[in-house]
Amino acid sequence: MPKLLLMDHDGAIDDLLSQLLVLTMPDVQLIGVTVTPADCYIEPALDSTYKLLQLMEQEHVPLGRGDYYGINAFPGEWRARPEIINALPLLINLPKSPDPYAYLSAPDLIMETLTKATEKVSILLTGPCANLVLALEKAPELKEKIQEIVWMAGAFRVPGNVQTYQHDGTAEWNVFWDPISSQKLVSYELPLTLIPLDVTNHVPVTKPFLSALATQIDYRLSNLTGQFWALTIDTIPSYQYTYFMWDILATSYLAMPEHFTTERVKANVSTRPPNAGQTYLDESGYELTIATDVNVAYFYDYLLAQFKR
C-alpha cells in the first residue's frame, strides 16, 4: 500500500525538483500539493507545479494556492525563478495551469485532503510551514490524521543561511520566513522530523554530480533535472552561498530513511530579533527528531537512478 503524501512547497527550483522526485517514488501516492508564496511568486510557481504534474501524467492531483505572505520576505530575485522554469523546452509548450485564482486556498485544501483520507497521511514541507499551521489552527482535530511530517528546516549546530539586516545569522530561511508559525508547529509535538542545514550542508550541487546526470541526457527526467540544476549555478551568487540540495535531501528521506542518522531532541524556535527563526536545542523545549548525517554517496546514486526512470 503506497504512502499517502501531501506536499507543501514554495516554488523554488529545489522545491520543483523535489516534486519531480516524489512523482518517481513507487511507494508514495501524492494526494495534494499546496504552494506557499515564499521563495516564489505564486502565479508562475503554480504554473510550474501544474506543468510538472502534467509531465508525469498526474494532473489530477489537486493544487492549493497559498495566500499568506509570512513575516520576512525572501529576496525578489530568488522568487522569480519559476518564470525561467516555465520557459524550459520540456515545459514551455505544455498547457498553462487553470486560473491560479480559482484554486482552493492552501489551508482549505490541506483540511479537505486530511478529512477525506481513509488512512493517516504523511506531510512533506520543503518551504515554510505556515499553510499547515493555518489549517491545523482551523481544524486541530486533523492532527490525528497525520502519520509524520518531514520538514526541510532549521540549523542547530551550524550557522544559519539568513544574511539580512537586524539578524545575527543563526536562522534558516524556511523558519525565518514566519518564525511564529514555525514555533507553533514545533510546539504541537507532532511526529516531526526536521532535515536541517546540519545535514543538507553535506550535499552541495556539484559539477561532478551534474556531469554524471548529463551522461543520462537521453532520459527525459535526467535531461529536465539537469537543466533545473544548471540554473542553480547562479541562482544565489557563489561569493555569498553554495547551492545545496536542501529540499531534495528532505524529500529523499521519505524513500531512504535508513540511510540517515537522526537524533531525538528537545528544541524551540526564537520568534524575535536578532535571532528570529533560530532553531535551538532546549531541554525545556519540545520533542522532535532532527537528521544529523546521511550516506552521501548513496544519496547521489539514488537521485541518478530515480531520474533515469
Side-chain angles (χ1 to χ4, degrees), residues 15 19 21 40 46 50 62 68 81 116 121 226 230 307:
D15 299 85
Q19 180 187 328
L21 183 59
C40 68
L46 283 167
Y50 180 70
Y68 170 69
R81 301 307 279 190
K116 286 181 177 177
V121 174
F307 291 133

Side-chain angles (χ1 to χ4, degrees), residues 31-78:
I31 59 173
V33 182
T34 51
V35 183
T36 298
D39 199 6
C40 68
Y41 292 101
I42 190 68
E43 294 83 6
L46 283 167
D47 208 21
S48 301
T49 301
Y50 180 70
K51 283 174 180 280
L52 294 183
L53 290 173
Q54 285 185 79
L55 189 75
M56 302 296 284
E57 300 180 348
Q58 295 290 316
E59 58 264 45
H60 63 276
V61 174
L63 299 185
R65 174 194 172 98
D67 291 315
Y68 170 69
Y69 280 81
I71 295 170
N72 301 301
F74 276 77
E77 61 270 25
W78 299 4

Side-chain angles (χ1 to χ4, degrees), residues 93-108:
N93 290 325
L94 291 175
K96 288 177 67 66
S97 67
D99 177 4
Y101 297 95
Y103 288 119
L104 271 182
S105 78
D108 285 347

Side-chain angles (χ1 to χ4, degrees), residues 43-275:
E43 294 83 6
L46 283 167
D47 208 21
S48 301
T49 301
Y50 180 70
K51 283 174 180 280
L52 294 183
L53 290 173
Q54 285 185 79
L55 189 75
M56 302 296 284
E57 300 180 348
Q58 295 290 316
E59 58 264 45
H60 63 276
V61 174
L63 299 185
R65 174 194 172 98
D67 291 315
Y68 170 69
Y69 280 81
I71 295 170
N72 301 301
F74 276 77
E77 61 270 25
W78 299 4
R79 299 176 65 197
R81 301 307 279 190
E83 292 280 14
I84 299 170
I85 295 297
N86 290 332
L88 292 177
L90 278 172
L91 301 181
I92 192 167
N93 290 325
L94 291 175
K96 288 177 67 66
S97 67
D99 177 4
Y101 297 95
Y103 288 119
L104 271 182
S105 78
D108 285 347
L109 182 63
I110 291 170
M111 288 188 290
E112 180 182 286
T113 305
L114 289 176
T115 299
K116 286 181 177 177
T118 55
E119 57 190 88
K120 288 194 173 187
V121 174
S122 296
I123 296 175
L124 173 64
L125 306 174
T126 60
C129 66
N131 286 332
L132 177 59
V133 171
L134 288 167
L136 295 179
E137 285 186 324
K138 287 184 181 178
E141 70 279 5
L142 293 176
K143 293 174 186 175
E144 300 298 321
K145 301 294 287 285
I146 296 173
Q147 179 70 38
E148 64 174 341
I149 301 168
V150 177
W151 185 20
M152 192 277 115
F156 289 90
R157 300 183 180 106
V158 298
N161 60 4
V162 171
Q163 297 179 13
T164 190
Y165 298 103
Q166 293 188 302
H167 201 279
D168 65 6
T170 56
E172 180 276 322
W173 264 103
N174 284 344
V175 183
F176 177 65
W177 187 79
D178 184 356
I180 293 172
S181 290
S182 302
Q183 200 280 330
K184 286 178 181 176
L185 182 60
V186 166
S187 75
Y188 293 159
E189 292 194 305
L190 291 164
L192 173 64
T193 298
L194 298 190
I195 311 297
L197 300 185
D198 305 56
V199 62
T200 64
N201 284 351
H202 300 175
V203 288
V205 178
T206 66
K207 293 285 182 68
F209 171 78
L210 295 183
S211 179
L213 188 62
T215 66
Q216 304 178 177
I217 198 168
D218 291 339
Y219 293 88
R220 184 173 61 167
L221 288 185
S222 292
N223 189 331
L224 181 61
T225 56
Q227 293 178 44
F228 272 47
W229 266 306
L231 293 172
T232 70
I233 299 301
D234 72 341
T235 299
I236 302 173
S238 59
Y239 59 82
Q240 287 184 322
Y241 293 105
T242 299
Y243 201 99
F244 292 94
M245 295 193 181
W246 299 288
D247 299 340
I248 284 280
L249 185 64
T251 303
S252 75
Y253 181 82
L254 298 171
M256 46 176 269
E258 68 278 9
H259 292 279
F260 284 76
T261 303
T262 61
E263 184 180 339
R264 195 75 180 155
V265 300
K266 287 190 173 183
N268 213 331
V269 179
S270 173
T271 58
R272 299 177 179 176
N275 64 327

